[in-house]
Amino acid sequence: MENSFLSKKYKIVQVTPETEIDYTYRVEYDKPVVHGQFLQVSIPTVGECPISISDFGTGFIDLTIRHIGKVTNEIKKLKAGDYIHLRGPYGNGFSLDSYRNKQLIVSAGGTGLAPVKSIIKHFLNNPDEVNGLDVLIGFKTPKDILFKGEVDQWTKSQDMNVILTVDRNDSAWACNTGFITDFVSHVKVKDFDNVEVIIVGPPIMMSCTAREFIKLGIKEENIWVSFERNMSCGVGKCGHCKIDETYICLEGPVFRYTKAKTLID
Ligand SMILES: Cc1cc2nc3c(=O)[nH]c(=O)nc-3n(C[C@H](O)[C@H](O)[C@H](O)COP(=O)(O)OP(=O)(O)OC[C@H]3O[C@@H](n4cnc5c(N)ncnc54)[C@H](O)[C@@H]3O)c2cc1C
Ligand code: FES
């Protein structure tokens, strides 16, 4: 039986800078994964941290990492051809069946775009599986926009409606200015009984955005969020991620808002 605590080393095949501090690492990987799952990423002798799978395909996964601390700054030193240690994948992720045949609205703030990028791409490539795809993306400034090439393509796509906004616009990048919450009412909901909303971003963004969608008439049970809570084991053993009786690493990180709103420390 595989020891779930043991990490294995995987080869980095490509490193793509997204911003000054966010890089995407494409890694050779052949285990099955679900949209929105995460891996425990480690550098031996330095430490380990949870990172969402931002994209995947045959033989690879992408990890989009913000370099902000002990482990992530060590990862920044790695180049294509180097190895990184991974264990997982962990968490429930997003089940595609929850969104099929519905209008899907995805709202992502900052690095919150990473865990939902692959689900956006899935429905963009399979538009007949949903009854409309709307994506609301917010970053602090144009310099912070992740996946610029793809986001640019998305804004031109006929198969989904994209609202891209930045808190402060200090460049020629053509997008809206304002918080994501300012643009929730711009989304056209076709049928309030047939819509699902995914919200991922910093905790304050998720609760404020959920509130705006509820004001618009979306039911709480049709809203989904993903938690980026500090984790350690990732497999329900250490209790690090536990809020009340809920293990975020096992039961989450994706929750319906009806449950998520009760998970406040
Ligand atoms: C389920 C899950 C999925 C995640 N997915 C991603 C992902 O896809 N990409 C990604 O970059 N990160 C992701 N994170 C966050 C990531 O795990 C942390 O940023 C990481 O643990 C930092 O480790 P470190 O050792 O480099 O920093 P540390 O040395 O532990 O922290 C350095 C300092 O930065 C502060 N800090 C920690 N996190 C943040 C933050 N997000 N923003 C600003 N300051 C912070 C800390 O409080 C500390 O003061 C995810 C977290 C979870 C729980
Ligand atoms: S991270 Fe250890 S129990 Fe969830």
Side-chain angles (χ1 to χ4, degrees):
M1 203 174 86
E2 192 178 330
N3 182 342
S4 58
F5 283 105
L6 275 187
S7 61
K8 280 194 199 162
K9 61 180 197 171
Y10 293 86
K11 192 175 183 180
I12 297 170
V13 289
Q14 195 179 325
V15 180
T16 308
E18 305 284 353
T19 70
E20 273 176 26
I21 55 165
D22 304 285
Y23 286 34
T24 294
Y25 298 82
R26 179 155 293 188
V27 179
E28 279 179 358
Y29 196 80
D30 54 10
K31 284 187 173 184
V33 300
V34 169
H35 304 272
Q37 280 190 307
F38 66 93
L39 288 156
Q40 289 287 14
V41 179
S42 59
I43 301 283
T45 75
V46 178
E48 189 176 53
C49 63
I51 298 291
S52 305
I53 296 163
S54 60
D55 209 346
F56 57 90
T58 309
F60 78 88
I61 51 164
D62 284 350
L63 303 169
T64 301
I65 301 179
R66 173 155 293 184
H67 302 289
I68 48 123
K70 198 168 62 132
V71 180
T72 51
N73 283 332
E74 278 305 306
I75 294 171
K76 196 175 182 190
K77 297 175 186 164
L78 301 177
K79 307 272 176 294
D82 290 341
Y83 288 82
I84 192 162
H85 283 70
L86 306 175
R87 62 184 177 90
Y90 298 127
N92 56 354
F94 298 99
S95 160
L96 293 179
D97 282 344
S98 302
Y99 313 113
R100 284 201 171 102
N101 303 316
K102 311 270 184 77
Q103 178 181 0
L104 175 62
I105 303 167
V106 182
S107 185
T111 50
L113 185 55
V116 291
K117 182 191 175 209
S118 66
I119 200 163
I120 293 171
K121 281 181 66 178
H122 173 87
F123 287 121
L124 179 61
N125 294 332
N126 300 278
D128 295 343
E129 289 187 15
V130 279
N131 180 27
L133 178 59
D134 297 79
V135 177
L136 191 47
I137 314 170
F139 291 99
K140 283 196 176 133
T141 74
K143 287 196 198 94
D144 301 306
I145 296 174
L146 298 177
F147 318 121
K148 272 198 187 80
E150 277 166 285
V151 168
D152 199 23
Q153 290 298 316
W154 294 353
T155 58
K156 293 173 187 150
S157 167
Q158 301 293 312
D159 288 316
M160 67 174 168
N161 303 310
V162 177
I163 299 174
L164 173 65
T165 181
V166 291
D167 302 351
R168 298 184 306 280
N169 201 345
D170 51 9
S171 85
W173 181 271
C175 58
N176 302 292
T177 306
F179 294 127
I180 279 189
T181 43
D182 300 333
F183 292 92
V184 166
S185 61
H186 294 222
V187 178
K188 290 188 180 60
V189 179
K190 297 176 185 177
D191 173 2
F192 284 93
D193 290 324
N194 197 33
V195 57
E196 301 287 337
V197 177
I198 294 173
I199 306 171
V200 188
I204 185 77
M205 171 267 174
M206 292 199 290
S207 53
C208 292
T209 309
R211 223 173 292 140
E212 289 303 312
F213 276 111
I214 291 162
K215 258 196 246 164
L216 199 65
I218 305 281
K219 295 177 193 133
E220 287 188 356
E221 62 265 34
N222 296 126
I223 298 177
W224 304 76
V225 300
S226 181
F227 277 92
E228 276 204 8
R229 189 176 165 75
N230 280 343
M231 292 188 189
S232 183
C233 69
V235 291
K237 300 282 184 212
C238 70
H240 214 80
C241 67
K242 207 169 159 218
I243 305 177
D244 297 329
E245 293 311 307
T246 303
Y247 289 86
I248 307 295
C249 65
L250 285 183
E251 295 172 51
V254 177
F255 293 93
R256 277 187 200 272
Y257 189 68
T258 38
K259 169 81 179 176
K261 70 175 186 179
T262 68
L263 298 174
I264 294 165
D265 293 280

